[in-house]
């Protein structure tokens, strides 16, 4: 297939023009970044695994009626997606305290939360993706009150689905981040799950051992990231046949 026009290159993915209007091709890179891209490496095979895992989760969501941008996987690293207008917010759902919430509020990592907690972060690398309140979101026009209600409902459905899928293979869903996009159908606007769902954007802990199976392996130098992602894919039965692993991360800087 002829190389398509590149529209946007992010830290872990590239978006190309799609074959039809209203579509994009999403390419998964092997690049891993953390701490607002201060730490970087290339993890061989990560893009292939995330392409498969995101396909798996998005298809699962669609099967229970949660709308997503995913149309179909095209090849090892690319998937066809619907063009959406991304709402400039990262929606984080937490079931267990970890990461920035533990740090900010002094809640010990691993503390089970009495109910899922939803947080919004402004997508702005220059500002370091600051946490924002619903009042900021409405006041500055990043989303409407109706959008917020819909985003919370979507995020909780994704949480229920992903928690169940993970628990079935012995993994606790600690927290995750999703991005949400706007589409128009005739005159109606709908919000749908966009971007990706993969171990890059979730915290996943093995139920038995507590082993981390997500990007914290990279953030905290806990071992081979591709091994951890391969383990998630293997348990879910979505391991591509020609991904063998464990290549050591090649540090760029
Ligand atoms: N997350 C993400 N992208 C970001 C920030 C967070 O995918 O830019 C995910 C992260 O992997 C974790 C959840 O959102 O599953 C909560 O992250 P947290 O706020 O604890 O920040 P982090 O420790 O990832 O910096």
């Amino acid at each position: 297939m002829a190389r398509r026009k590149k529209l946007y290159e992010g830290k872990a993915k590239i978006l190309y023009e799609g074959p039809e209007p209203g579509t994009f091709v999403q390419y998964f890179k092997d690049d891993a970044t953390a701490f607002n891209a201060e730490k970087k490496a290339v993890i061989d095979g990560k893009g292939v695994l995330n392409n498969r895992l995101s396909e798996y989760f998005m298809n699962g969501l669609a099967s229970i009626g949660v709308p997503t941008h995913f149309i179909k996987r095209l090849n090892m690293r690319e998937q066809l997606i619907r063009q959406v207008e991304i709402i400039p917010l990262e929606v984080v759902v937490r079931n267990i305290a970890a990461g920035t919430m533990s740090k900010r509020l002094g809640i010990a990592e691993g503390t089970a939360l009495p109910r899922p907690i939803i947080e919004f972060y402004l997508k702005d690398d220059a500002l370091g993706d600051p946490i924002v309140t619903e009042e900021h979101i409405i006041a500055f026009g990043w989303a409407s009150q109706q959008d917020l209600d819909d985003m919370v409902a979507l995020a909780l459905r994704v949480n229920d689905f992903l928690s169940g899928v993970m628990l079935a293979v012995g993994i606790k869903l600690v927290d995750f981040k999703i991005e949400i996009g706007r589409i128009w159908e005739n005159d109606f606007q709908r919000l749908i799950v966009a971007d990706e769902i993969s171990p890059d954007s979730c915290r996943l802990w093995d139920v038995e051992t507590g082993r981390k199976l997500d990007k914290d392996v990279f953030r905290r130098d806990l071992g081979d990231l591709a091994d951890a992602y391969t383990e998630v894919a293997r348990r879910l039965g979505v391991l591509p046949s020609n991904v063998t692993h464990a290549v050591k991360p090649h540090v760029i800087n």
Side-chain angles (χ1 to χ4, degrees):
M1 206 180 289
R3 186 32 82 198
R4 309 170 186 101
K5 190 172 154 208
K6 189 195 281 191
L7 301 174
Y8 172 79
E9 178 154 4
K11 285 172 262 188
K13 298 186 296 291
I14 305 173
L15 276 188
Y16 295 100
E17 206 168 61
E20 286 154 33
T23 65
F24 288 153
V25 172
Q26 179 164 253
Y27 176 99
F28 288 78
K29 302 195 282 186
D30 281 341
D31 301 32
T33 63
F35 313 116
N36 205 9
E38 277 167 37
K39 179 170 180 172
K40 292 184 198 168
V42 173
I43 315 285
D44 287 346
K46 179 175 83 80
V48 174
L49 288 161
N50 281 354
N51 187 24
R52 289 278 179 160
L53 284 164
S54 203
E55 171 191 22
Y56 179 78
F57 297 130
M58 296 285 183
N59 275 339
L61 285 169
S63 77
I64 58 158
V66 177
T68 84
H69 73 165
F70 181 82
I71 301 172
K72 65 174 181 180
R73 191 169 55 77
L74 298 171
N75 55 47
M76 295 283 279
R77 288 181 182 275
E78 292 180 323
Q79 49 184 241
L80 186 66
I81 58 171
R82 290 184 68 164
Q83 179 178 358
V84 301
E85 182 188 301
I86 288 282
I87 295 181
L89 298 168
E90 300 195 332
V91 184
V92 168
V93 182
R94 301 178 185 274
N95 299 304
I96 297 172
T100 58
M101 195 183 75
S102 289
K103 238 178 264 152
R104 193 182 304 117
L105 304 180
I107 311 288
E109 271 209 335
T111 307
L113 302 173
R115 44 174 279 192
I117 292 179
I118 300 183
E119 297 170 342
F120 297 97
Y121 294 82
L122 181 65
K123 269 171 67 72
D124 187 324
D125 284 342
L127 295 177
D129 294 349
I131 192 166
V132 290
T133 67
E134 296 201 4
E135 295 209 46
H136 294 132
I137 294 169
I138 306 282
F140 300 119
W142 296 316
S144 67
Q145 185 62 58
Q146 181 65 54
D147 290 337
L148 277 171
D149 294 348
D150 293 349
M151 289 167 83
V152 167
L154 263 182
L156 289 175
R157 290 179 79 189
V158 173
N159 186 45
D160 286 346
F161 169 77
L162 276 185
S163 296
V165 166
M166 290 302 184
L167 199 57
V169 296
I171 295 173
K172 274 196 244 183
L173 178 65
V174 174
D175 57 33
F176 65 94
K177 181 265 304 187
I178 51 172
E179 294 186 23
I180 292 176
R182 229 185 272 285
I183 54 166
W184 278 270
E185 276 161 1
N186 303 317
D187 279 345
F188 291 100
Q189 172 198 286
R190 259 206 321 160
L191 299 189
I192 69 176
V193 179
D195 190 50
E196 74 179 294
I197 300 178
S198 76
D200 268 5
S201 49
C202 300
R203 277 200 172 87
L204 306 170
W205 295 352
D206 181 72
V207 168
E208 294 293 322
T209 64
R211 178 184 167 200
K212 295 187 196 322
L213 297 168
D214 56 59
K215 213 167 90 176
D216 275 346
V217 172
F218 172 68
R219 291 191 192 94
R220 303 179 186 187
D221 296 319
L222 299 176
D224 190 312
L225 189 72
D227 274 356
Y229 288 21
T230 301
E231 176 62 14
V232 175
R234 188 190 63 73
R235 291 195 198 181
L236 293 169
V238 295
L239 195 61
S241 51
N242 53 349
V243 172
T244 49
H245 239 279
V247 182
K248 282 268 162 290
H250 155 67
V251 175
I252 299 172
N253 66 15

